[in-house]
Amino acid sequence: MSVPSETITLDGLDSPAEIRVDHWGVSHLRAASEADLFFLQGFNAARDRLWQIDLWRKRGLGMLAADFGPGYLAQDHAARHFLYRGDMAAEWAAYASGAEAICQAFAAGINAYVALTEAEPGRLPPEFALFGTRPARWQAEDVVRIRTHALTRNAASEILRANVLARSDAATDALRAAIEPPTGLDAAPGIDLGAIPLEALRLFKLATAPVTFEPARRAATLDEAWRWTEVTDLGDVVRATTEEGSNNWVVSGARTATGRPILASDPHRAHAIPSLRYLVHLSAPGFDAIGAGEPAVPGISIGHNGTTAFGLTIFGADQEDVYVYETQAGDPERYRYADGWEAIRRIEERFNVAGAPEQTLTLSFTRHGPVLHEDPVRRQAIALRSVWLEPGSAAYLGSLSAMRATSVAEFGAALTHWGTPSVNHVCADTSGTVAWYAAGFTPIRPNWNGLLPVPGDGSHEWAGFLPAEALPHVVNPAEGFFATANEMNLPADRPADAPSIGHEWIEPSRAERIKGVLRADDRHTLEAAGALQNDVQSLPAVRLCALLAALSEDRDRAVAEPRALLAGWDGRLAADSAPAALCEVWWMKHLRPGLLEVLAPDPAVRALLLPGHVESLIRLLEQPDLCFGPDPAGARDRLLRATLARAFADLCRRLGPDPSAWRWGDLHHGYFEHAAAPIRAQSERTEWDVGPLPLGGSRSTPAHAGYRLSDFRVTAGASVRLLIDVGNWDASLCINAPGQSGDPASPHYGDLAPLWATGRYVPLLYTTERVEDATSRLIRLVPPR
């Protein structure tokens, strides 16, 4: 059967190539050489995601104001502080042989599509017409110099911890972020924790914030430009560290029904439309890989290449440090370093601003990195050192080496090129070998643990990075599987005096649930893997309900009725569950805030602890101490009863007086809102949105679905999910939400969202025959004659 096709002539292409789009929007690219393949990948990324990647580039390079006006000037100024400004030869050499050529080809492919939209304006995504802007041309350096779209840690936590400790103690800070392995929290000599303001986070927050289009921001004048320095709440930054994680696991063939390894990976990030991830198949002589990456980056970071499969989650290596400097009396331009004084480096840069004259602004740096805050009265400056500033730290570009590995051993060896983000890689090959590798540039701190700001006077310097082979790894684990979910997974036998890697991790409930299911399953299948990726069992909910069950009988109906609803419930946060709705509203809206009020009476401290470390909080409920007063158990029980009664009344107001009609999914919903919605006409503002979609789960279930408390809209979790049958590649499955395309007119803009919301998958086809059979659109590309 013939399929719709077109032929496009492209300058920059050496030989004929093709893009086959399958029924589910996955693009399968075939080219005659790798140079043409990465050119084709850039062209295809622009074909499907031009608005997204153009905005990605302009945000990362600090060029938003040129398109959108003065309201974006402060964000541009912040972003430029975090660009890579080092030696480009070292930068290219850090990733892979040929990395520069790959990025040149990729950028040229994007530019070829931009040129095509100029010749054929009908191909231009509608957002450009809405904003009256045009897509820009790319340079190869744009791919790697941008750092601020990546995940890294823990500068924000250092500043938050300093503020908590200045007002309270380490036990209180543990309610915000537990410390594992345990270590001290003493301030370095000369550091006054009370003198480190939260305002020191502003530049970092602004540089890493998403782009928003509030009408007032779009209408801002040049005089109002610096009002737009708080475009994201502090809570958004904190939630990102707790919600943007992932799950993955790899199971040896000895524990699967087929005898072949199975690999599952579902990275969790903030939900957006279009999706952060993009599924693509890259095929050229000598290289044939399929999987997910980010559309503005060449290659793939999750998937397989016909011999080796690989998936990743965030690993909690500490890749940032906050430095505090004493500035010279009478000369705040200089800061103390070693036995002398050094000048703060000031760089003047020009910023184009739509509707206003060009602006010249100053960027400020110490020897360690961008200056976050200056206080001439205190004679203090604060700066950030990050691996972002080192060669080889562009997010996921280490994939250019790793994605080529033809075995698990080669994959592990390739991770010397992996800089950021720090990740848990699981991998498997067709020989049956499976493995886990932690990867990422990890600073060696000879005399401190990285948990609090330290002096910038030379007394606390990095001593290079841990060698990649010194990071934890396991080949062919004894259990027959390895799973990660951002939990603390440093080996128990790691020497206590080994260099610190990190001490802040996501609470362990997701990981414990995944590992518990895998231990009980010695005949693992793709279907079982899919069920586990969509599992809504909440271990924290089970523990909370156990506390209720242990209470004496209640005669007060306001408590007895909600207790009866939760009695015997299995803790599954299913979308159609009434107990799930009650338990989540109780925990997140009533019990958790009530508990924090008891444990942190000072409202200023309490605000710094949100959303709270789940494991720490529940453990205190299970083992109440004198923080509750002279009768800890009695006070705890009164808190449980009072907050449960309030939660029940709350749900009666939200969902009606009949608990049998309550559904968690009636509150908890996926919704993909287009960034341009705020400025569209009222009759059109939801046309480019996808949702609402009733969802189960929470931030503590394998089916990660973190939500905002104002309306329970899901804001973070899995977008792309992959299930890989190692060796029987066409049996592999995937899903991307809400769809593959970023063009609202495309049939693949939101077509996968209903499947994703109900835990279903589509084929991840690999062999030529299966791809051709599933082709729904064929695009032939030919060089000029």
Side-chain angles (χ1 to χ4, degrees):
M1 183 176 68
S2 63
V3 298
S5 64
E6 66 174 321
T7 300
I8 301 172
T9 300
L10 281 184
D11 283 329
L13 195 66
D14 290 331
S15 301
E18 68 177 25
I19 300 170
R20 289 182 176 268
V21 182
D22 67 24
H23 298 307
W24 308 280
V26 178
S27 295
H28 303 262
L29 316 184
R30 295 180 188 168
S33 68
E34 284 201 9
D36 275 359
L37 179 62
F38 290 110
F39 177 94
L40 193 60
Q41 187 181 11
F43 178 88
N44 183 69
R47 180 191 66 82
D48 244 358
R49 300 285 190 94
L50 183 58
W51 163 256
Q52 180 188 32
I53 66 173
D54 185 71
L55 196 64
W56 182 94
R57 176 185 175 275
K58 289 168 179 172
R59 173 197 152 188
L61 293 178
M63 295 181 173
L64 293 170
D67 273 4
F68 305 116
Y72 298 82
L73 183 59
Q75 189 167 5
D76 283 349
H77 176 253
R80 292 200 194 179
H81 280 84
F82 296 92
L83 286 171
Y84 176 71
R85 294 173 178 273
D87 177 67
M88 284 307 299
E91 171 74 357
W92 292 123
Y95 299 111
S97 174
E100 182 176 11
I102 289 171
C103 291
Q104 286 173 339
F106 184 78
I110 294 173
N111 294 340
Y113 190 81
V114 171
L116 186 60
T117 66
E118 292 168 350
E120 302 177 28
R123 295 182 184 269
L124 201 63
E127 292 92 340
F128 290 103
L130 176 67
F131 287 99
T133 61
R134 294 288 307 173
R137 298 295 205 277
W138 287 52
Q139 296 181 344
E141 290 80 1
D142 299 341
V143 177
V144 296
R145 292 187 64 225
I146 296 171
R147 308 298 211 219
T148 48
H149 297 272
L151 296 179
T152 188
R153 67 197 61 74
N154 67 338
S157 187
E158 287 186 32
I159 292 174
L160 286 168
R161 180 171 290 109
N163 278 264
V164 172
L165 294 183
R167 297 167 172 83
S168 188
D169 55 23
T172 301
D173 187 65
L175 304 176
R176 178 189 66 84
I179 303 302
E180 300 178 272
T183 187
L185 288 179
D186 296 326
I191 295 293
D192 177 4
L193 298 181
I196 299 172
L198 290 173
E199 290 77 30
L201 279 171
R202 180 178 289 126
L203 191 82
F204 179 79
K205 286 195 302 173
L206 193 55
T208 56
V211 185
T212 60
F213 295 107
E214 302 92 337
R217 188 180 190 189
R218 293 276 291 124
T221 64
L222 199 56
D223 290 340
E224 300 168 327
W226 297 97
R227 296 181 185 178
W228 295 95
T229 60
E230 294 287 354
V231 300
T232 189
D233 292 334
L234 176 61
D236 294 337
V237 176
V238 175
R239 279 191 294 275
T241 66
T242 60
E243 293 184 350
E244 296 191 351
S246 304
N247 305 322
N248 67 12
W249 60 89
V250 63
V251 180
S252 162
R255 294 183 64 89
T256 68
T258 64
R260 294 185 299 273
I262 288 175
L263 185 144
S265 190
D266 57 305
H268 307 156
R269 292 288 295 273
H271 286 327
I273 190 165
S275 169
L276 172 70
R277 312 288 181 182
Y278 186 74
L279 292 159
V280 68
H281 186 179
L282 307 173
S283 183
F287 179 67
D288 191 4
I290 188 170
E294 297 194 356
V297 176
I300 61 168
S301 54
I302 307 166
H304 73 82
N305 59 22
T307 59
T308 305
F310 37 91
L312 55 80
T313 70
I314 294 298
F315 173 72
D318 181 352
Q319 296 185 305
E320 295 171 340
D321 280 302
V322 175
Y323 284 93
V324 182
Y325 307 85
E326 173 194 355
T327 55
Q328 190 171 23
D331 187 0
E333 292 294 307
R334 298 171 69 80
Y335 61 91
R336 183 180 297 280
Y337 189 79
D339 295 327
W341 301 89
E342 292 190 2
I344 294 174
R345 185 163 57 100
R346 312 285 189 184
I347 298 175
E348 302 292 314
E349 291 206 354
R350 296 178 178 178
F351 294 75
N352 292 325
V353 183
E358 180 184 84
Q359 300 294 299
T360 299
L361 301 177
T362 302
L363 312 181
S364 301
F365 303 88
T366 69
R367 63 164 40 229
H368 296 115
V371 174
L372 303 178
H373 189 262
E374 296 181 66
D375 187 340
V377 174
R378 290 184 182 270
R379 291 179 50 210
Q380 178 176 280
I382 299 174
L384 174 66
R385 185 170 190 183
S386 171
V387 298
W388 276 348
L389 309 177
E390 303 290 330
S393 290
Y396 303 106
L397 259 290
S399 297
L400 295 182
S401 288
M403 70 181 183
R404 300 173 182 275
T406 60
S407 68
V408 162
E410 281 189 21
F411 188 88
L415 296 179
T416 56
H417 297 281
W418 193 279
T420 66
S422 56
V423 297
N424 296 285
H425 287 286
V426 293
C427 52
D429 63 30
T430 48
S431 77
T433 302
V434 302
W436 160 67
Y437 294 94
F441 294 165
T442 304
I444 298 172
R445 300 174 176 87
N447 58 323
W448 84 106
N449 56 28
L451 290 171
L452 282 166
V454 293
D457 60 6
S459 60
H460 291 71
E461 294 292 347
W462 293 355
F465 297 126
L466 283 175
E469 60 272 15
L471 290 171
H473 58 278
V474 174
V475 179
N476 291 327
E479 278 197 288
F481 71 86
F482 204 97
T484 79
N486 321 117
E487 80 283 14
M488 203 293 284
N489 61 353
L490 297 177
D493 60 355
R494 192 167 189 266
D497 60 352
S500 172
I501 288 177
H503 295 273
E504 296 178 293
W505 314 80
I506 302 299
E507 55 97 2
S509 59
R510 279 189 292 118
E512 290 172 357
R513 171 61 179 169
I514 291 167
K515 292 172 186 178
V517 170
L518 292 175
R519 287 189 182 108
D521 180 9
D522 62 0
R523 300 277 291 170
H524 198 52
T525 63
L526 285 183
E527 292 74 19
L532 187 50
Q533 282 188 337
N534 290 278
D535 185 273
V536 293
Q537 178 73 58
S538 169
L539 299 186
V542 171
R543 294 165 70 181
L544 291 172
C545 289
L547 291 171
L548 282 183
L551 296 178
S552 59
E553 183 178 354
D554 281 288
R555 296 182 180 180
D556 181 355
R557 182 182 175 188
V559 180
E561 191 170 357
R563 280 189 67 184
L565 183 59
L566 292 175
W569 175 54
D570 61 5
R572 293 185 68 255
L573 301 179
D576 62 356
S577 169
L582 175 59
C583 189
E584 277 299 293
V585 170
W586 174 41
W587 168 240
M588 290 298 291
K589 295 283 283 184
H590 299 278
L591 177 55
R592 181 185 58 98
L595 178 60
L596 285 171
E597 190 171 349
V598 170
L599 301 174
D602 182 349
V605 172
R606 198 158 62 244
L608 299 174
L609 305 180
L610 297 175
H613 190 266
V614 173
E615 178 64 24
S616 297
L617 293 173
I618 293 182
R619 190 181 299 127
L620 274 170
L621 287 170
E622 293 172 334
Q623 303 169 21
D625 60 21
L626 290 177
C627 289
F628 284 87
D631 177 18
R636 183 271 317 273
D637 293 349
R638 289 190 292 275
L639 177 67
L640 293 174
R641 288 185 166 98
T643 56
L644 183 62
R646 290 198 294 269
F648 190 77
D650 186 353
L651 265 180
C652 286
R653 290 189 296 271
R654 292 175 185 272
L655 296 179
D658 180 9
S660 67
W662 295 350
R663 300 290 182 267
W664 176 221
D666 290 343
L667 286 177
H668 185 245
H669 55 284
Y671 192 89
F672 299 87
E673 183 178 33
H674 194 285
I679 69 161
R680 301 195 75 202
Q682 192 64 37
S683 61
E684 300 175 341
R685 64 179 301 157
T686 62
E687 280 185 352
W688 294 348
D689 298 350
V690 175
L693 301 156
L695 291 177
S698 74
R699 57 175 50 83
S700 295
T701 60
H704 187 131
Y707 53 87
R708 63 190 191 193
L709 286 177
S710 59
D711 61 358
F712 296 94
R713 177 183 291 182
V714 176
T715 55
S719 55
V720 71
R721 295 183 176 118
L722 277 76
L723 304 172
I724 301 177
D725 187 335
V726 178
N728 185 18
W729 306 114
D730 284 331
S732 301
L733 301 169
C734 65
I735 197 71
N736 196 11
Q740 276 282 96
S741 178
D743 184 347
S746 168
H748 301 299
Y749 180 73
D751 59 328
L752 299 181
L755 302 176
W756 167 84
T758 52
R760 290 177 287 171
Y761 296 81
V762 301
L764 185 68
L765 299 179
Y766 184 66
T767 63
T768 299
E769 181 180 6
R770 291 295 304 280
V771 169
E772 290 180 352
D773 286 345
T775 298
S776 65
R777 182 183 178 194
L778 175 60
I779 304 171
R780 296 185 179 91
L781 303 122
V782 296
R785 293 186 177 180

